[in-house]
Amino acid sequence: MHSIHAEKVSLTFPLYQRTSASETEAHPIPFTEDDRLILGKDGRILAVKALRDITFTLKGGDRLALIGKNGSGKTTLLQVLAGIYPPDAGYVATRGRATNLINLNLGMRSEATGHRNITLKGLAAGRSREEIEEKRNQIAEFSELGRFLDMPVETYSAGMRMRLSFAIATAFDPEILILDEWISAGDAAFKQKASQRMQEFVGKAGILILASHSPDLLIENCSRGIWLDKGRIRFDGPIRDALEAYAAETRGAAQKPRPANRAGPAPVDGARARS
Amino acid sequence: MSDYIGNADRLNPESNRSPEMSNAADIPRAAPSAATPPGAGVAVSSSAAASRPTILFEDVIDGLGMSEVWRAFAWDEMQQRYRRSVLGILWIFVAYAVFVGTIAFFFAGFAKMGAHQFIIYVALGYATYQFLVGNITDGCQVFSASGNWIKSTTLPYSIYVYKSIFRSVFTVALQLLVALGVMIYFGWRPTWLSLLSLPAAAIFLLDAVAIQYFLGLFGARYRDIPHLVATIMRVLFFMTPILWVREEMRGIRATLADVNPLTHFLEIFRAPLMGAEPRLSSWAVVLISSAVIWLAAAIAAWRMRRRLPFWV
């Protein structure tokens, strides 16, 4: 049985001199307190506490949705679950072969053709040349890229890249599938196809973890929802309840008058609510 | 910096068992390695699992088993470089032949050893030197250039090292083929002594892994390292007997050559092919350097490897 267990996972993202104060020195922006930031003596941001005390368990057939604002830690959590970043504290125990589709632009050779990337990704997934050849037609068919598979991936549109990545990732029988929100970049027909494929996958006792801002996509594909807020789990429960709790908070925030000292552009939905 | 990121072991997995996962948590230190086939065991990703003292050796062995992957990567990169050129990879061969011809034309008169011998000396020496130095300069970028894959897959990091070495082995093999052609043309025949070059070549390959892994980590963390190394290598070129012969030098220049480890690495490979026995002291320097390089790489991997995806 496949499983994935996160135990008190915390991750601090070090920034290594990638922040600079020069842009804001002349006109300092009054910041609101954010306890995620770790500041140096000179006020520079040294690191960000991206994830704090995340604990949950998933078993075969579970379908988890990650929701939360931009910057709430969804993608970082996916990367930790995929085994790319080892957590600073706590651990992730995984039983089963995890495949991730987190960043569309990574993990492909953009100068190489679509076909060549099928081969490379297959080899990287530990598959033999024969197994890759067996799957090649299926990938070509699912991605509907046809002759475009003979062209370099750098000539593809975002949607085409996504089709290819998704087709490859699901072809090599993953046991744990970790997907970031870009899946919503596909057209309606592809989204439906992708949902169907994800359901087949979960039917075979796979574990699906999907981060998205699209409630429809999440309701269709997930049963459980975890709402991340500033790197912590704010809510963990059935997907509809999680979406509702999250939506209630976003509505509440939009109607509340904004603090006067807070600078920066107002969020679009906030602006709409007031006008 | 370690004060805010050094709380790594504060939450030791073993002290944090949750009741529902007690089975899996029994082996939280199990490595995601070849020993636990995917799907069968539990792979644990934690600070402790990623910074074991033996992590370099685990990574290097795991990566070696995935030769299909790094050979495919290396082959792609080579093809990319020569894409749409008519001669393609043969350019390596042509470029080196032209280089050797030029050296022969301008420098053969300067050495006391005789023109033919000197051309062989340079043809062998320069290719070997380029391989040794290539490992050092490529090593600095070996991880940062593969950031794309490091940040999206869980492949062993040594894959990128093997890819880089495979590429330079391919290049040096073509160049040494040129050297061999020149040698045979000038009447060179293999002897039993020539076989002594084989253990030297084996040491080169072994050390290349540790050098690239070590410099790859440092080069990714400290972005001045690649520039510093390139600067040093330019100086070392003149301190290494490639266009001149150490035995023909006296005083400070001979001393400088002897303190340069590259001199000894070069000597144990080149001398047997030139019909001379390499100095025992050269082999001693090489073996000691190799031990130091591997130890340094093991320590660097143990202390630094966990943070690599943040740096690339």
Side-chain angles (χ1 to χ4, degrees):
Chain A
M1 192 62 158
H2 318 309
S3 67
I4 186 160
H5 174 71
E7 176 69 36
K8 297 200 170 171
V9 165
S10 296
L11 184 76
T12 300
F13 227 105
L15 290 168
Y16 302 107
Q17 298 153 21
R18 270 194 285 182
T19 59
S20 161
S22 60
E23 296 284 327
T24 50
E25 249 162 21
H27 309 283
I29 297 171
F31 286 110
T32 47
E33 279 298 309
D34 191 332
D35 65 345
R36 282 176 298 173
L37 302 182
I38 296 170
L39 302 176
K41 285 188 193 106
D42 55 354
R44 270 170 182 249
I45 305 166
L46 293 181
V48 180
K49 292 179 192 164
L51 295 175
R52 294 181 283 185
D53 264 344
I54 306 276
T55 301
F56 64 87
T57 305
L58 296 174
K59 298 229 178 319
D62 281 355
R63 302 168 291 151
L64 175 69
L66 290 182
I67 54 177
K69 285 194 290 191
N70 294 133
S72 58
K74 299 189 295 295
T75 302
T76 309
L77 180 55
L78 292 178
Q79 287 169 315
V80 170
L81 294 175
I84 295 165
Y85 294 123
D88 287 327
Y91 65 93
V92 176
T94 309
R95 200 187 286 270
R97 201 172 37 241
T99 296
N100 76 78
L101 285 178
I102 295 172
N103 189 327
L104 249 193
N105 299 313
L106 303 183
M108 284 246 190
R109 282 191 63 80
S110 52
E111 324 82 46
T113 64
H115 271 308
R116 183 65 185 163
N117 272 296
I118 295 176
T119 309
L120 291 175
K121 295 292 276 185
L123 289 173
R127 295 313 166 121
S128 69
R129 300 243 173 209
E130 296 77 52
E131 285 173 300
I132 294 166
E133 290 320 309
E134 262 171 45
K135 301 281 184 188
R136 188 179 298 280
N137 282 339
Q138 189 205 325
I139 294 169
E141 202 179 307
F142 189 86
S143 65
E144 295 173 22
L145 287 171
R147 293 300 308 277
F148 285 97
L149 286 174
D150 293 323
M151 288 165 51
V153 167
E154 63 196 357
T155 62
Y156 289 12
S157 72
M160 289 162 76
R161 257 172 187 252
M162 188 217 40
R163 280 163 180 270
L164 180 59
S165 302
F166 187 84
I168 296 174
T170 51
F172 292 107
D173 302 320
E175 291 160 343
I176 298 166
L177 192 55
I178 299 172
L179 302 171
D180 207 351
E181 45 207 342
W182 51 263
I183 186 99
S184 36
D187 54 33
F190 185 78
K191 259 191 242 178
Q192 204 183 350
K193 230 169 127 176
S195 292
Q196 202 184 335
R197 180 153 284 197
M198 286 191 274
Q199 268 146 25
E200 278 168 30
F201 158 78
V202 175
K204 286 187 262 175
I207 296 175
L208 176 71
I209 304 169
L210 177 61
S212 173
H213 290 293
S214 155
D216 295 342
L217 185 76
L218 294 177
I219 287 174
E220 196 179 339
N221 292 294
C222 302
S223 54
R224 176 176 171 188
I226 285 183
W227 167 18
L228 281 182
D229 187 27
K230 292 187 177 175
R232 289 184 204 278
I233 293 184
R234 179 82 173 271
F235 185 94
D236 180 357
I239 178 66
R240 283 178 192 276
D241 298 353
L243 284 169
E244 210 160 284
Y246 175 57
E249 157 112 351
T250 356
R251 272 197 305 274
Q255 275 151 14
K256 241 185 286 170
R258 302 173 62 77
N261 66 338
R262 184 131 157 221
V268 178
D269 52 352
R272 259 198 223 116
R274 269 179 294 167
S275 59
Chain B
M1 290 208 135
S2 57
D3 50 351
Y4 67 89
I5 52 176
N7 58 355
D9 298 313
R10 189 168 48 88
L11 284 173
N12 193 321
E14 273 137 340
S15 59
N16 271 304
R17 285 179 199 177
S18 64
E20 73 273 19
M21 275 300 287
S22 53
N23 298 342
D26 279 338
I27 36 170
R29 272 165 185 275
S33 72
T36 53
V42 177
V44 172
S45 173
S46 71
S47 160
S51 33
R52 285 182 302 260
T54 52
I55 193 78
L56 172 71
F57 305 102
E58 291 166 31
D59 189 329
V60 159
I61 290 166
D62 287 352
L64 199 60
M66 301 186 74
S67 72
E68 282 258 29
V69 180
W70 44 264
R71 276 186 289 134
F73 280 6
W75 188 244
D76 268 32
E77 278 179 20
M78 283 188 282
Q79 283 194 319
Q80 173 65 20
R81 189 159 172 202
Y82 295 98
R83 191 165 72 168
R84 295 201 289 144
S85 85
V86 178
L87 286 185
I89 286 163
L90 274 183
W91 269 115
I92 300 171
F93 194 86
V94 173
Y96 200 64
V98 170
F99 169 79
V100 171
T102 313
I103 291 293
F105 185 76
F106 283 104
F107 288 92
F110 290 113
K112 295 183 191 126
M113 60 164 47
H116 291 181
Q117 277 292 90
F118 184 75
I119 293 167
I120 293 173
Y121 179 85
V122 174
L124 281 173
Y126 191 68
T128 313
Y129 176 83
Q130 273 202 311
F131 175 76
L132 294 171
V133 166
N135 279 320
I136 296 171
T137 49
D138 292 353
C140 294
Q141 321 267 3
V142 72
F143 294 135
S144 40
S146 297
N148 181 332
W149 289 81
I150 289 174
K151 282 193 282 196
S152 67
T153 62
T154 49
L155 292 172
Y157 298 152
S158 58
I159 290 248
Y160 313 108
V161 170
Y162 293 128
K163 172 192 78 177
S164 171
I165 295 172
F166 186 76
R167 238 178 22 199
S168 37
V169 165
F170 188 84
T171 307
V172 78
L174 281 179
Q175 294 176 336
L176 287 178
L177 218 57
V178 174
L180 190 71
V182 172
M183 288 156 77
I184 290 172
Y185 178 76
F186 286 139
W188 175 84
R189 295 294 174 265
T191 63
W192 286 111
L193 185 63
S194 319
L195 289 179
L196 267 181
S197 296
L198 292 179
I203 286 271
F204 290 176
L205 291 179
L206 199 66
D207 285 355
V209 177
I211 290 181
Q212 294 217 10
Y213 208 108
F214 174 79
L215 287 173
L217 287 172
F218 269 85
R221 172 65 183 89
Y222 303 102
R223 293 302 169 100
D224 292 295
I225 298 280
H227 303 287
L228 175 70
V229 166
T231 309
I232 295 172
M233 285 305 129
R234 205 163 298 159
V235 176
L236 277 189
F237 176 75
F238 296 101
M239 276 174 67
T240 312
I242 301 160
L243 296 178
W244 47 274
V245 184
R246 200 207 73 89
E247 284 71 25
E248 294 175 4
M249 291 293 169
R250 294 275 171 274
I252 182 79
R253 277 189 281 186
T255 314
L256 278 178
D258 280 344
V259 298
N260 173 8
L262 282 173
T263 305
H264 304 286
F265 274 83
L266 206 56
E267 169 139 349
I268 61 166
F269 180 76
R270 184 179 52 192
L273 290 174
M274 304 276 305
E277 261 179 63
R279 288 177 292 169
L280 268 183
S281 58
S282 285
W283 263 104
V285 169
V286 167
L287 290 178
I288 292 168
S289 310
S290 307
V292 170
I293 293 162
W294 272 94
L295 186 67
I299 293 172
W302 170 33
R303 307 303 307 173
M304 301 171 73
R305 181 185 178 278
R306 181 169 78 89
R307 305 234 140 238
L308 182 62
F310 294 117
W311 300 333
V312 293

